[in-house]
Amino acid sequence: MDGNKIIARSLAQQGVQYAFGIVGIPVIDLAMAFQLEGIKYIGFRNEQAACYAAQAIGYITRKPAVCLTVSGPGLLHVIGGMSNAQSNCWPVIVIGGSSDQAQERLGAFQECFQVESSRLHCKMSARPPNLSSIPRFVADAVKLSTYGRPGAVYLDFPGDLLNATVSEEDTDWIPSIPEPPSTMASPCQVAKAVKLILAAEKPLFIIGKGAAYAKAEDPIRNIVNQTNIPFLPTPMGKGVVSDLHRCCVGPARSLALQKADVVVLFGARLNWMLHFGRLPRFNPDVKVIQIDISPEEFHSSLPTAVALHGDLRTVSKQLEEELVKTGHVFKDSSLWWMSLKEKVCQNREVNQRSAEDTEEPLNYYAVFHCIQETLPKNCMIISEGANTMDIGRTVFMNELPRHRLDAGTFGTMGVGFGYAIAAALWCRDNSPRKRVVCIEGDSAFGFSAMEVETMSRYKLPVIIIVVNNNGIYAGLDHGLFHDLADGSDPAITLPPTSLTPGCRYEKMAEMYGGKGYVCKSIKELHSAVENALKETSKPTIINVFISPVAQRKAQDFDWLTRAKM
C-alpha cells in the first residue's frame, strides 16, 4: 500500500466522510484515494473556502472533515481557515502535501516550513515519520480535533512519503476513536449555581454556539420552560431555544445585558461578542455562572462566580434536574420581565416600521422581511457582510439549532460560500427537502464568488441572495460614484468603502447555465425567491439593489456617503 491509500483508509476507519480542497502536486492521487475509500471529495476554487466548508461540516456533525491542500502557497492560503476554526472551536483536519524530504533546504518546488507555519493556528501540527505510523497520526488528529475544546489539526505529508509503499501487515492500524467522554460538573458547584439562580432578581441565560455544537438543546429548552427565565442567544446560538419562544429577549439585548444581576453562560464566552462582560454593557456587580469544557476559559475577563467544568450537554442536564426539583418559576409579573417585554415591544415596532417601508430604493428590513415571509420554515441560513449579517440576525428567526452560520467569533468575511456548500451537502445526505439560503453583502460575495461554480458542479441548489448597497458598510449612488471616479485619480477620490454601483452579480449564474435575478422592488424579490425555491440542482443568484445609505436605523445625516476631500 502507498501513503495515499493508508491515509485514506485511516480516515475512513475513523469515520471521516467528507474532504474538501484543491488538488495538484503532490496530492492528486490522495484525493482519488479518498473517493476509493468512500470519502466524498469536493473540489473547490480557493483553499480558504475549502477549509471553511470542512470546518462547517465539523460544526454541524461534531465529526471532523478534511481540508486537502497542495504544498507551499496552498497550505498558506488555508491558514486563515485554520485560524477561523480555532477561534470558533470547530473540528477540522487539514492535510497538506509538501515537497520531498530529500529536497528540503535545496529550494524544492513550493518548499515551505509548513509544520512550523501551522503550529500557531491549530491544536496539533505534525508530520508522520514513516508509512506505518500514519494511522496513529490520523487517529490522534481525529481525537485532538474533537476532544476537549474542538479545533484544527494539521498533518504534513511530503511527496516521497505519499508515493512510498509498505505491506499492509506492517501498517499499525488504529481502531476508531470513540466520541469524546461526557464529563459532569462537580455536584457541589451545580448546587451552588442553582442557589445563585434562585436568589437572582434579574437572571439571564446567554446561549452560545457552544450549546449548539454540544447538541444541548433538549436540556436547555427544558430549563427555560421550567424556570421562565429570559434568554439571549448569540448569533449562532439562535435556535437552541426557538427565537419565537416567549422567553427570548433578543430584541432587548442591550437592556438585558446591562441590567442582569446573574448571567448563566451556556456555551458562550465573554469575548468581544459579549463586550467582555464589562462596563458599560454589563452590570458592574453581575455574577457569572459559566459552563465550559475548557477550564482555561473561567475567570478570563472577570471573576467567574460559579465555574461548571464539563460537557455542556451533560452539565445542562445536571442543572435541569436540580432546577426541576425546586419547582421555581420566575414570574411574568416581576419588574425584570415587565421591563424586558416593554423594550422587546418597542424595538419590534421600530423594526416593523422599517420593514413596512417598501419605497425604492429598498432598505435592509423590507428586504429581509420579504425573504423571511417567502422562505419555507427551518431553512439553513448562511449570512455574512457587515450590515447584512448584523441586521439579518434580528429578522431571520431560527427555531432549530445549527441552522445559522455566519462570520462567527473570528469575524471572518468570505466564509459564506464554503459554509453554504457544506450545509447543502449535509442536507442532501440527511434532509433532502431542507433548503440552504446564503444571504451575502455585495462585498462579502466577492471574497468567494467563484465557488458558485463549485455549487453547480456538485448540483447543490443553494439560493444566493446578494444584498447590494454598492459598498462596504455603505456605498455611493451612481451619480456621486461617477463624479468621483471620473476625477484625476480614482485611487485618491473614491472612498475606500465604495464598490461599483449597480454591479450585476446575478450574471455569474449564466456561466454554469443557472438562473440569476435582479430585484429593485419587493414584488420582484418575492417572485425571485419563489422561483429559486423551484430549482433543485443548481444554485440561484438573486441580486437585490438597496439604498446605498441604508443602515440599522434611519440616519438624519449623510456623512457616510460624503467623500473626504
Side-chain angles (χ1 to χ4, degrees):
M1 301 177 68
D2 66 8
N4 298 301
K5 191 173 184 70
I6 296 171
I7 296 167
R9 182 165 297 181
S10 299
L11 289 165
Q13 288 177 346
Q14 295 298 333
V16 173
Q17 297 176 310
Y18 298 94
F20 307 82
I22 297 179
V23 296
I25 298 171
V27 297
I28 297 174
D29 290 343
L30 180 53
M32 294 179 179
F34 287 163
Q35 294 176 314
L36 289 173
E37 291 293 334
I39 297 173
K40 297 184 179 184
Y41 176 78
I42 297 88
F44 269 65
R45 306 301 294 266
N46 179 280
E47 292 95 347
Q48 209 165 354
C51 193
Y52 296 144
Q55 63 197 256
I57 285 289
Y59 171 63
I60 294 168
T61 68
R62 289 172 56 94
K63 296 180 179 180
V66 165
C67 175
L68 179 64
T69 177
V70 299
S71 52
L75 183 276
L76 295 178
H77 288 173
V78 166
I79 284 179
M82 293 170 67
S83 295
N84 190 69
Q86 278 292 94
S87 184
N88 281 328
C89 308
W90 292 354
V92 66
I93 298 172
V94 176
I95 290 179
S98 57
S99 52
D100 289 2
Q101 296 173 91
Q103 298 175 0
E104 286 182 348
R105 301 183 184 277
L106 295 176
F109 175 68
Q110 294 186 332
E111 183 178 359
C112 178
F113 296 112
Q114 296 178 192
V115 174
E116 294 86 348
S117 297
S118 301
R119 189 160 282 131
L120 290 176
H121 309 281
C122 59
K123 294 179 70 176
M124 178 183 86
S125 180
R127 172 190 288 181
N130 51 51
L131 290 177
S132 62
S133 66
I134 288 175
R136 176 169 59 86
F137 275 73
V138 168
D140 281 349
V142 171
K143 181 178 70 174
L144 287 173
S145 70
T146 54
Y147 278 45
R149 172 164 285 174
V153 297
Y154 174 66
L155 292 179
D156 190 72
F157 292 98
D160 49 358
L161 189 64
L162 292 172
N163 295 319
T165 59
V166 68
S167 66
E168 187 171 354
E169 293 77 18
D170 290 335
T171 303
D172 185 19
W173 300 104
I174 304 295
S176 176
I177 297 294
E179 291 187 3
S182 297
T183 53
M184 299 175 66
S186 162
C188 293
Q189 289 294 93
V190 173
K192 184 178 178 182
V194 169
K195 184 178 180 180
L196 192 56
I197 292 169
L198 298 182
E201 294 182 2
K202 299 176 181 178
L204 178 68
F205 296 150
I206 299 179
I207 303 173
K209 69 175 178 295
Y213 176 82
K215 298 186 176 179
E217 51 266 24
D218 288 344
I220 294 176
R221 287 172 181 174
N222 291 338
I223 289 171
V224 171
N225 289 332
Q226 167 65 31
T227 63
N228 196 44
I229 288 175
F231 74 89
L232 181 69
T234 66
M236 276 192 276
K238 287 161 61 68
V240 172
V241 184
S242 171
D243 287 340
L244 303 179
H245 194 283
R246 68 181 186 279
C247 292
C248 181
V249 292
R253 184 179 192 272
S254 295
L255 177 65
L257 294 179
Q258 287 173 346
K259 301 297 183 181
D261 57 1
V262 172
V263 168
V264 184
L265 298 177
F266 289 94
R269 290 172 281 175
L270 291 178
N271 54 22
W272 68 273
M273 297 183 77
L274 288 173
H275 316 287
F276 314 105
R278 298 177 180 176
L279 286 169
R281 297 291 189 144
F282 275 72
N283 182 338
D285 299 318
V286 67
K287 293 180 174 60
V288 175
I289 300 167
Q290 191 167 1
I291 309 170
D292 207 287
I293 193 68
S294 174
E296 293 87 351
E297 192 60 39
F298 301 127
H299 316 292
S300 60
S301 180
L302 71 164
T304 305
V306 183
L308 300 176
H309 178 220
D311 171 70
L312 198 139
R313 187 168 187 269
T314 303
V315 177
S316 296
K317 285 182 177 179
Q318 291 179 270
L319 274 179
E320 176 194 1
E321 291 173 3
E322 295 303 313
L323 285 167
V324 167
K325 288 180 186 177
T326 69
H328 177 78
V329 178
F330 203 77
K331 294 181 180 180
D332 285 337
S333 58
S334 68
L335 292 176
W336 179 226
W337 252 126
M338 288 193 291
S339 64
L340 288 171
K341 287 180 179 179
E342 182 181 4
K343 180 58 72 172
V344 166
C345 289
Q346 288 175 357
N347 287 341
R348 281 180 175 163
E349 287 175 5
V350 171
N351 291 351
Q352 184 61 34
R353 286 197 295 271
S354 296
E356 291 170 355
D357 177 11
T358 58
E359 183 180 349
E360 301 169 27
L362 299 170
N363 68 73
Y364 285 101
Y365 292 92
V367 167
F368 293 157
H369 179 75
C370 173
I371 296 169
Q372 170 77 16
E373 292 297 307
T374 310
L375 290 174
K377 284 187 65 175
N378 297 325
C379 292
M380 294 192 76
I381 303 292
I382 318 297
S383 183
E384 64 172 333
N387 292 328
T388 298
M389 179 178 65
D390 292 341
I391 299 173
R393 69 180 169 82
T394 69
V395 179
F396 296 113
M397 297 292 102
N398 292 94
E399 297 185 61
L400 298 176
R402 300 170 295 281
H403 276 56
R404 175 185 168 88
L405 288 84
D406 62 27
T409 308
F410 209 36
T412 310
M413 289 294 105
V415 297
F417 287 171
Y419 288 177
I421 289 169
L425 284 166
W426 181 86
C427 287
R428 186 163 70 187
D429 292 344
N430 297 277
S431 185
R433 299 187 68 178
K434 190 179 292 291
R435 299 305 299 266
V436 175
V437 184
C438 192
I439 302 170
E440 301 268 306
D442 49 335
S443 174
F445 176 85
F447 279 84
S448 304
M450 277 304 298
E451 301 305 341
V452 296
E453 186 275 329
T454 306
M455 297 175 191
S456 175
R457 195 174 351 122
Y458 292 99
K459 300 180 179 180
L460 302 174
V462 176
I463 299 172
I464 300 163
I465 302 176
V466 184
V467 185
N468 191 344
N469 71 344
N470 304 339
I472 303 169
Y473 301 109
L476 306 176
D477 60 31
H478 285 265
L480 184 54
F481 177 88
H482 289 294
D483 285 347
L484 297 174
D486 293 341
S488 58
D489 187 348
I492 297 296
T493 57
L494 276 181
T497 57
S498 62
L499 298 173
T500 302
C503 192
R504 300 293 298 274
Y505 298 111
E506 83 286 351
K507 293 288 187 180
M508 288 191 68
E510 297 175 6
M511 70 183 184
Y512 52 79
K515 291 185 178 179
Y517 301 88
V518 61
C519 305
K520 296 182 179 179
S521 69
I522 291 300
K523 182 179 179 181
E524 290 172 339
L525 176 59
H526 176 76
S527 175
V529 174
E530 284 196 327
N531 287 333
L533 288 167
K534 298 173 185 176
E535 177 57 65
T536 59
S537 63
K538 287 184 180 292
T540 303
I541 300 176
I542 301 173
N543 187 11
V544 188
F545 291 122
I546 68 169
S547 168
V549 294
Q551 296 289 317
R552 181 185 298 276
K553 296 179 180 178
Q555 301 288 335
D556 295 325
F557 41 85
D558 64 348
W559 66 269
L560 285 171
T561 66
R562 292 203 305 267
K564 296 181 179 179
M565 303 300 290

